[in-house]
Amino acid sequence: MSSSQQPMSSSRSTSASPWSPGTWKITLDFGREDSSSNSLDKLSGGEEDATLSSLLGEEWGANGVRLALPFEMLVTAETTTSKASNADKPPPIQTAWIGGKPTGSIQCLPKATTNSDGSEYSANYINSEGLQYVQISPGQWRIEPPLPLLTSSSGKVLKGQASTLRYYLTLNTAIRRNTIHFPENQLLLLQSNTFRPSQYLDGVRTVLPYQYAKDNSQKMLEEQLNHETGDRRLDGNDLIETLEGYKDVAGLVWERDEKRRKWREVEGALPVITDSTTANVDVEAMMDDDDKWGIWPGDTELLTIERGVILAVVERKEKKKGMFPWMDGGGGNAEDTVLVGRWTATPMFDEDDYDVE
């Protein structure tokens, strides 16, 4: 990181140009993930541990091992034009991943020093053999606006839905730490929900009632069942009163499950609120969070990136079988994707890139 770069100040609220490049610190956090989260399931496409084990092996990421790989990257609105490929060939997996024509490019910034052989590297980590250096190839990115989501309860389109950022990178260097490992030239596909400030503010205002209703319904159920301060009818001293008590509990369970269902409908499309007391969320503080907002080309408004998912492209050992012989894959092993971790982004800035309000 250059001496002119530092965490973003909340006094910077817009970039100087919609095409201004942005610098971000990215941390790849490799390991097995709990795919029971609805928001994670929506981001990753429902990848399961069974898929990971079948593609990478039962031992991959065993015993909760993680491998963190931090680096800095420069995001620009420039795209690299390559020669047209054969129209008969399927589009590359990178093109299919970002969903069309790229909007810009990503370049991993080299460290200030080089490793022992004099080559530049973008990241490093420590394993049992000491400090390891990793080279990462550039990639391309695209942000897709949200598809209108209608809720079953209101039938109205949600305000403040997330846009979807997708990009790809390639680990040129093989990496290994305990049971986490990837070969050379490992292609990684990354995705996350993103918001511009006005979009984020609408999203927070939309999600808070859903999350508060979910949390409050759970709280009411727990209070009813509390052994010391809860409903004394449940002690069983009077049969009629006990039955009435259980009836009320059943009603609270139904109400809790219904609130959870409504929240899960919107969970993956709106901002993640981690505050344990949603009734007292400080929205202004969230909007002024120095580690949240940074420059990303495409708008003068800043951007926030929520914790995203990492998918690795791996070869399936056996060809995918179709229902009929003519549907079987052609020569070579089929490629598949598998969820291998999460990633976070923290914005960095250069003073001249921002307009101060």
Side-chain angles (χ1 to χ4, degrees):
M1 180 175 63
S2 67
S3 59
S4 63
Q5 293 178 337
Q6 52 187 303
M8 189 190 79
S9 168
S10 59
S11 64
R12 278 78 181 171
S13 58
T14 61
S15 62
S17 164
W19 312 120
S20 295
T23 307
W24 294 73
K25 179 180 180 181
I26 304 299
T27 300
L28 307 181
D29 181 18
F30 296 110
R32 287 183 180 261
E33 295 293 334
D34 177 10
S35 58
S36 61
S37 167
N38 193 43
S39 58
L40 176 61
D41 188 63
K42 289 178 180 178
L43 279 174
S44 65
E47 302 294 338
E48 300 291 344
D49 265 2
T51 304
L52 187 149
S53 296
S54 65
L55 294 174
L56 297 179
E58 292 285 348
E59 78 288 349
W60 196 96
N63 302 319
V65 171
R66 313 291 299 188
L67 191 163
L69 196 65
F71 58 91
E72 293 177 14
M73 71 181 191
L74 179 68
V75 184
T76 71
E78 299 177 358
T79 57
T80 303
T81 303
S82 59
K83 295 181 180 180
S85 58
N86 190 333
D88 294 331
K89 293 182 179 180
I93 191 168
Q94 293 94 326
T95 303
W97 171 248
I98 61 177
K101 185 178 179 180
T103 313
S105 299
I106 287 174
Q107 177 183 354
C108 299
L109 299 177
K111 295 285 187 180
T113 57
T114 56
N115 55 23
S116 57
D117 64 4
S119 60
E120 291 184 332
Y121 65 95
S122 304
N124 56 45
Y125 68 98
I126 296 176
N127 63 12
S128 59
E129 298 179 359
L131 186 62
Q132 305 297 317
Y133 302 94
V134 182
Q135 294 178 321
I136 306 176
S137 288
Q140 294 180 317
W141 63 271
R142 181 181 176 90
I143 293 180
E144 287 287 349
L147 295 174
L149 175 62
L150 298 175
T151 61
S152 60
S153 56
S154 67
K156 298 179 180 179
V157 176
L158 288 177
K159 289 185 177 181
Q161 289 179 236
S163 297
T164 303
L165 166 66
R166 291 191 182 95
Y167 66 98
Y168 60 87
L169 297 169
T170 302
L171 300 179
N172 295 346
T173 311
I175 63 174
R176 174 178 289 273
R177 181 175 183 271
N178 297 329
T179 57
I180 302 289
H181 54 85
F182 291 110
E184 292 182 347
N185 302 319
Q186 174 63 63
L187 176 61
L188 301 176
L189 311 177
L190 299 96
Q191 177 176 326
S192 179
N193 286 346
T194 65
F195 301 86
R196 301 290 181 180
S198 55
Q199 182 184 11
Y200 186 81
L201 187 57
D202 284 343
V204 170
R205 289 169 174 167
T206 300
V207 76
L208 279 178
Y210 286 94
Q211 190 153 330
Y212 175 75
K214 172 185 70 74
D215 294 344
N216 191 55
S217 63
Q218 178 66 31
K219 179 181 177 183
M220 291 177 63
L221 178 59
E222 292 174 355
E223 289 176 350
Q224 187 85 350
L225 295 174
N226 188 285
H227 290 295
E228 296 181 359
T229 61
D231 192 340
R232 296 274 64 88
R233 295 176 300 173
L234 302 178
D235 292 342
N237 297 325
D238 183 285
L239 178 59
I240 301 300
E241 288 189 355
T242 299
L243 291 175
E244 288 294 328
Y246 278 118
K247 180 180 178 182
D248 290 345
V249 169
L252 289 173
V253 170
W254 181 89
E255 182 73 11
R256 188 272 314 269
D257 291 346
E258 183 65 9
K259 298 301 183 184
R260 282 183 175 178
R261 182 191 65 79
K262 291 180 179 179
W263 177 71
R264 283 188 172 274
E265 277 189 342
V266 305
E267 176 193 6
L270 297 172
V272 175
I273 307 298
T274 56
D275 197 309
S276 58
T277 55
T278 53
N280 299 313
V281 169
D282 189 341
V283 178
E284 184 176 348
M286 296 171 67
M287 299 301 295
D288 289 338
D289 187 346
D290 289 349
D291 293 329
K292 185 181 290 288
W293 302 98
I295 291 178
W296 196 285
D299 202 308
T300 56
E301 279 197 309
L302 304 185
L303 186 80
T304 186
I305 301 175
E306 295 196 333
R307 192 169 180 233
V309 297
I310 310 170
L311 303 179
V313 178
V314 298
E315 282 191 351
R316 186 179 289 274
K317 301 306 179 183
E318 297 180 357
K319 300 177 184 177
K320 290 184 177 179
K321 299 295 183 180
M323 184 178 298
F324 304 103
W326 54 268
M327 295 175 63
D328 293 346
N333 292 331
E335 290 180 325
D336 212 337
T337 59
V338 60
L339 177 65
V340 292
R342 304 294 298 266
W343 66 279
T344 56
T346 303
M348 313 301 293
F349 80 93
D350 286 310
E351 188 72 21
D352 295 339
D353 288 337
Y354 286 82
D355 282 341
V356 180
E357 292 188 348

